[in-house]
Amino acid sequence: MQIQNDNEGMTLALEWAAKGMTSTAPNPRVGCVIVRDGVVIGAGHTQPPGQAHAEIEALRDAAARGHEVRGATAYVTLEPCNHFGRTPPCSDALVRAGLGRVVAAIEDPNPLVAGQGLAKLAAHGIATRTGVLAHEAYELNIGFFSRMRRGLPWVRMKTAASIDGGTALHNGVSQWITGAEARADGHAWRARAGVILTGIGTVKSDDPQMTVRATDSLRQPQRVIVDSRLDISLDARILAGEPCWIVAARPEAGRVRALQAAGHEVLLLPNADGKVDLPALMRELGRREINEVHVEAGSKLNGSLIREGCVDELLVYLAPCLLGTAQGMFSLGPYDALEQRQQLAFHQVQQIGADLRILARFTAD
């Protein structure tokens, strides 16, 4: 493949970064390609935590193919790290390799890096450039940027509904409103998250597994259940497999012990009303290095999360049908004035099979 300019080099690096969509967390998804005279001589992406970052993978790939990287250009989707974490600094490796130029899409928001990686490269005579396809690089790691800048994960709320906003019939029947393509796409969004969050209402009514099944994934996201009174049954399907985190407001000692004995973790985060403190939960998930939270819950928890300002964007699948009198997506309001409405901006609209997928982000206004 011939690389004609920096945009083409970074586009390819972003494609490599996307290969780590489900495997790099809590680290960011990063891709790197090394180019000499327009020819790609090495490429790689960040591996699971504790393993090599994208730059090291690309250097190893070039060496395995017998290429000399001295004087070549490296395209990397995030500023090379400059600190010792689970692995040594990538900036040092690039300096030792003698790269002639490093193009980074965007600076690393991690305060341990934040421009220092690029500064080290420049101090060793390596030409640098930033800002190439920065928006695309940011979107790929929106949760990592959120956690680094706000201490909070990026929270994405998924729901599927008819055009008239129904998520289930009046009697609770909901399988299936959307088609197979939309359901598979929803699993791909599950797979990229660090946490799948639901509520006890959904657990009781649907008995879901809340796992990734319709797409390939190297790991299952952590499952989190909001259950203020610890009403969950030990026989619930969501408790099968990997341990869950159950977030409660009341310290029911016997139930806590039973859940812990089964391998699950119980977090007590009460608010003044005796319910789960949802903002505190998001802060705790950020502290636990969760980049992205994928919410699949009922209208009551959905409404509470939105009212508490805990949701960044909606992932809505609309099916071309009408359900009439039905259960809704969000328990909000009633509002008496339009000024009270929750304002969003459309970020992306795409047809998935017969259904429509809408990404809409909450705005400050």
Side-chain angles (χ1 to χ4, degrees):
M1 179 179 183
Q2 197 74 17
I3 299 299
Q4 304 287 344
N5 51 52
D6 287 349
N7 269 33
E8 289 185 2
M10 194 60 71
T11 297
L12 183 58
L14 285 165
E15 291 176 10
W16 273 91
K19 295 176 186 289
M21 184 67 74
T22 66
S23 60
T24 66
N27 294 330
R29 305 154 181 137
V30 181
C32 178
V33 296
I34 301 173
V35 177
R36 180 189 296 283
D37 298 326
V39 177
V40 177
I41 60 174
H45 64 88
T46 295
Q47 300 299 299
Q51 300 181 38
H53 289 187
E55 298 91 327
I56 306 305
E57 287 288 294
L59 290 171
R60 289 173 178 172
D61 183 48
R65 293 201 257 166
H67 293 296
E68 170 58 56
V69 300
R70 191 165 297 277
T73 295
Y75 294 94
V76 60
T77 59
L78 189 69
E79 175 187 8
C81 64
N82 188 52
H83 66 292
F84 283 88
R86 296 180 179 89
T87 58
C90 291
S91 55
D92 288 349
L94 295 173
V95 168
R96 287 194 301 271
L99 271 294
R101 184 168 178 256
V102 174
V103 180
I106 193 169
E107 283 192 4
D108 192 328
N110 187 338
L112 297 175
V113 185
Q116 297 178 54
L118 290 167
K120 174 175 281 189
L121 298 176
H124 285 82
I126 298 175
T128 63
R129 182 187 179 192
T130 57
V132 179
L133 302 184
H135 174 73
E136 290 81 353
Y138 168 81
E139 288 289 331
L140 187 67
N141 284 302
I142 194 167
F144 179 75
F145 275 83
S146 174
R147 182 166 64 84
M148 287 294 121
R149 291 174 173 173
R150 308 185 302 175
L152 298 170
W154 183 261
V155 180
R156 181 180 298 112
M157 179 177 285
K158 180 258 181 183
T159 187
S162 59
I163 287 179
D164 55 346
T167 62
L169 298 178
H170 68 92
N171 58 8
V173 173
S174 62
Q175 294 182 341
W176 297 101
I177 295 173
T178 54
E181 295 92 340
R183 295 197 297 275
D185 189 72
H187 275 257
W189 286 94
R190 276 186 186 181
R192 66 175 283 168
V195 152
I196 298 174
L197 184 146
T198 193
I200 186 60
T202 298
V203 172
K204 284 184 172 181
S205 63
D206 298 344
D207 197 19
Q209 294 173 274
M210 289 297 177
T211 55
V212 176
R213 300 183 299 280
T215 188
D216 292 333
S217 179
L218 295 179
R219 56 104 178 101
Q220 288 289 342
Q222 175 66 51
R223 293 168 298 172
V224 177
I225 305 147
V226 175
D227 181 8
S228 292
R229 299 181 299 185
L230 287 181
D231 287 335
I232 194 166
S233 166
L234 288 174
D235 295 326
R237 291 204 303 165
I238 197 170
L239 296 184
E242 294 297 315
C244 295
W245 298 343
I246 299 99
V247 191
R250 303 180 186 179
E252 300 286 349
R255 293 174 183 173
V256 170
R257 284 194 297 271
L259 288 164
Q260 290 174 337
H264 307 290
E265 182 177 356
V266 177
L267 289 73
L268 292 175
L269 294 174
N271 64 15
D273 298 321
K275 298 183 181 299
V276 169
D277 187 328
L278 297 172
L281 170 59
M282 296 308 161
R283 291 192 296 271
E284 175 64 15
L285 294 179
R287 189 186 69 80
R288 294 185 180 211
E289 297 188 313
I290 301 300
N291 292 334
E292 296 183 22
V293 173
H294 179 93
V295 178
E296 290 195 31
S299 62
K300 187 175 179 181
L301 179 55
N302 283 349
S304 295
L305 285 164
I306 291 171
R307 279 193 302 273
E308 295 288 336
C310 295
V311 183
D312 295 298
E313 73 179 354
L314 301 181
L315 172 65
V316 181
Y317 295 90
L318 288 182
C321 66
L322 301 173
L323 295 186
T325 302
Q327 299 180 18
M329 291 185 273
F330 320 106
S331 292
L332 291 169
Y335 299 141
D336 298 316
L338 285 175
E339 290 75 19
Q340 296 174 284
R341 62 187 170 180
Q342 298 282 341
Q343 192 68 47
L344 297 98
F346 289 121
H347 179 69
Q348 186 186 86
V349 179
Q350 183 177 343
Q351 187 164 342
I352 306 292
D355 306 306
L356 201 63
R357 185 185 72 195
I358 299 171
L359 273 176
R361 293 182 176 171
F362 285 90
T363 63
D365 298 326

